[in-house]
């Protein structure tokens, strides 16, 4: 059984889009990405999992425990970073972190200072004096401070500059190496590609696919650029052409079929050059969304 299990999890709203029949599982010590554009249902899924909002139907477990019946126990071992961080403005960062650490019954001051230093966060400043990016850093330290078994991060890098993002990803890799499981949502595909073992793609509240990053980028889909000797009518069809663009002598394909079958078709055509490349996650993602 996975650390996180969702079974047909559904949250309906009258006006806003919720989520419908979302099912997937996350294994121990896995970095699992959850991608989709804003409004696709990522935050709704996370907030339902954390029992901040009630599911309409379906069920989910974390550490094998029901998310509604055992939410208190579950939270002891979960670190959570919301997409927007709101705190008591007149508190100093250090006091806020000590206060939140008490909920978990332990404060490791050395760890707090170490995390803050690595994210370049001054813990002696007041919350009201911090920029959006620095408030995000407070949220990251708070989420990691008690060394949770499960770390849930909702759009964690928004507001962080690229250097701090790198430090943050190093921290996550270290936590995973110590045995933590990490679940993070994002609409920035490059960071998902860099960090995750597997990824779930959500579209308009429904799960579209759960794949390994390797499977998404390596096995299925290729970018193929064919250069003809003259501007050519590219008329033939082969199973697996997901998208084609013609630009003068060049034809670009997003192709998920057998390479052999495509080359067979090209053999009798006035082809000057063929370039076969791995697509970016971005291109694959757009294919799922079209």
């Amino acid at each position: 059984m996975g650390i996180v299990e969702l079974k047909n999890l559904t949250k309906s709203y009258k006006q806003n889009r919720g989520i419908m029949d979302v099912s997937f599982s996350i294994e121990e010590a896995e970095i699992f990405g959850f991608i989709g554009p804003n409004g696709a249902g990522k935050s709704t899924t996370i907030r339902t999992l954390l029992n901040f909002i009630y599911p309409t139907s379906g069920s989910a477990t974390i550490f094998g425990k029901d998310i509604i019946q055992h939410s208190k126990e579950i939270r002891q071992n979960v670190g959570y970073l919301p997409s927007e961080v709101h705190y008591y403005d007149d508190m100093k960062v250090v006091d806020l972190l000590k206060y939140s650490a008490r909920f978990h019954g332990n404060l490791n001051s050395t760890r707090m200072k170490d995390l803050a230093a690595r994210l370049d966060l001054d813990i002696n400043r007041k919350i009201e004096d911090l920029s959006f990016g620095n408030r995000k850093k407070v949220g990251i330290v708070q989420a990691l401070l008690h060394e949770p078994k499960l770390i849930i991060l909702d759009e964690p890098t928004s507001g962080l500059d690229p250097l701090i993002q790198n430090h943050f990803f190093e921290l996550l890799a270290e936590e995973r190496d110590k045995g933590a499981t990490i679940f993070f949502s994002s609409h920035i595909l490059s960071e998902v590609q860099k960090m995750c073992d597997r990824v779930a793609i959500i579209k308009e509240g429904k799960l579209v696919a759960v794949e390994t990053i390797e499977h998404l980028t390596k096995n299925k889909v290729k970018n193929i650029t064919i250069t003809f000797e003259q501007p050519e009518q590219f008329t033939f069809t082969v199973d697996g052409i997901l998208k084609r663009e013609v630009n003068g002598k060049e034809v670009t394909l997003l192709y998920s079929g057998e390479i052999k079958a495509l080359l067979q078709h090209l053999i009798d055509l006035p082809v000057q050059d063929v370039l076969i490349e791995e697509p970016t996650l971005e291109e694959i993602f757009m294919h799922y969304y079209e």
Side-chain angles (χ1 to χ4, degrees):
M1 191 181 219
I3 290 284
V4 179
E5 296 266 355
L6 287 74
K7 288 183 183 150
N8 303 109
L9 199 63
T10 298
K11 175 65 184 173
S12 306
Y13 294 104
K14 279 182 182 164
Q15 302 300 324
N16 300 344
R17 178 185 297 130
I19 52 169
M20 282 178 68
D21 285 330
V22 173
S23 300
F24 60 83
S25 68
I26 304 171
E27 301 306 316
E28 190 170 1
E30 180 173 37
I31 300 184
F32 191 93
F34 195 35
I35 56 176
N38 293 329
K42 300 188 299 294
S43 293
T44 300
T45 306
I46 287 171
R47 293 177 55 164
T48 308
L49 270 179
L50 290 166
N51 199 33
F52 297 154
I53 51 180
Y54 259 54
T56 309
S57 62
S59 63
T61 59
I62 295 178
F63 313 127
K65 296 171 181 172
D66 182 83
I67 55 165
I68 296 166
Q69 291 170 7
H70 303 287
S71 67
K72 231 176 178 177
E73 291 163 54
I74 289 168
R75 284 180 202 175
Q76 281 300 320
N77 289 305
V78 172
Y80 167 58
L81 174 72
S83 54
E84 289 182 18
V85 183
H86 299 288
Y87 290 126
Y88 302 114
D89 275 355
D90 59 348
M91 275 181 105
K92 277 187 177 178
V93 173
V94 63
D95 296 328
L96 181 103
L97 291 172
K98 283 178 179 173
Y99 171 65
S100 68
R102 281 194 212 115
F103 287 105
H104 298 280
N106 63 343
L107 170 66
N108 183 335
S109 294
T110 311
R111 180 169 168 84
M112 175 176 73
K113 287 170 187 162
D114 176 51
L115 289 170
R118 289 182 64 178
L119 294 169
D120 195 21
L121 171 67
D122 180 354
I123 59 174
N124 292 307
R125 293 180 67 188
K126 277 191 167 185
I127 301 286
E128 64 189 351
D129 297 333
L130 299 182
S131 65
F132 174 70
N134 277 320
R135 286 176 191 228
K136 204 73 189 240
K137 293 175 193 176
V138 178
I140 292 166
V141 175
Q142 186 185 22
L144 300 181
L145 188 52
H146 58 290
E147 300 190 63
K149 291 184 198 161
L150 173 65
I151 300 163
I152 298 179
L153 309 159
D154 197 356
E155 299 283 352
T157 58
S158 61
L160 298 182
D161 67 55
L163 183 65
I164 297 298
Q165 283 185 27
N166 286 337
H167 292 322
F168 168 61
F169 286 135
E170 282 164 15
L171 277 175
L172 289 190
E174 285 166 27
E175 292 306 304
R176 194 266 293 272
D177 290 344
K178 288 192 288 188
T181 304
I182 296 160
F183 176 40
F184 81 88
S185 82
S186 181
H187 62 277
I188 301 163
L189 301 172
S190 56
E191 65 188 27
V192 172
Q193 190 161 1
K194 186 165 63 180
M195 285 301 296
C196 294
D197 305 301
R198 288 190 304 142
V199 64
I201 299 173
I202 190 166
K203 173 184 180 179
E204 294 170 3
K206 292 179 184 170
L207 206 63
V208 182
V210 179
E211 298 275 18
T212 64
I213 291 287
E214 193 180 10
H215 191 242
L216 268 180
T217 51
K218 289 262 188 311
N219 303 348
K220 290 272 263 291
V221 188
K222 297 274 186 278
N223 257 345
I224 299 177
T225 308
I226 305 157
T227 311
F228 291 99
E229 287 163 9
Q230 301 291 327
E232 183 76 22
Q233 287 302 98
F234 186 81
T235 50
F236 69 80
T237 55
V238 187
D239 283 349
I241 294 177
L242 305 171
K243 195 167 126 190
R244 73 175 77 192
E245 279 175 23
V246 182
N247 191 358
K249 294 180 181 183
E250 262 189 15
V251 176
T252 310
L253 305 176
L254 195 59
Y255 181 67
S256 68
E258 290 289 327
I259 291 293
K260 218 168 166 184
L262 181 67
L263 294 177
Q264 206 71 50
H265 273 81
L266 295 177
I267 220 155
D268 297 323
L269 295 174
V271 171
Q272 204 170 37
D273 198 9
V274 178
L275 177 64
I276 301 172
E277 296 173 294
E278 303 293 353
T280 63
L281 193 57
E282 192 102 26
E283 288 163 307
I284 296 164
F285 184 70
M286 288 320 294
H287 154 58
Y288 276 112
Y289 263 79
E290 277 166 4

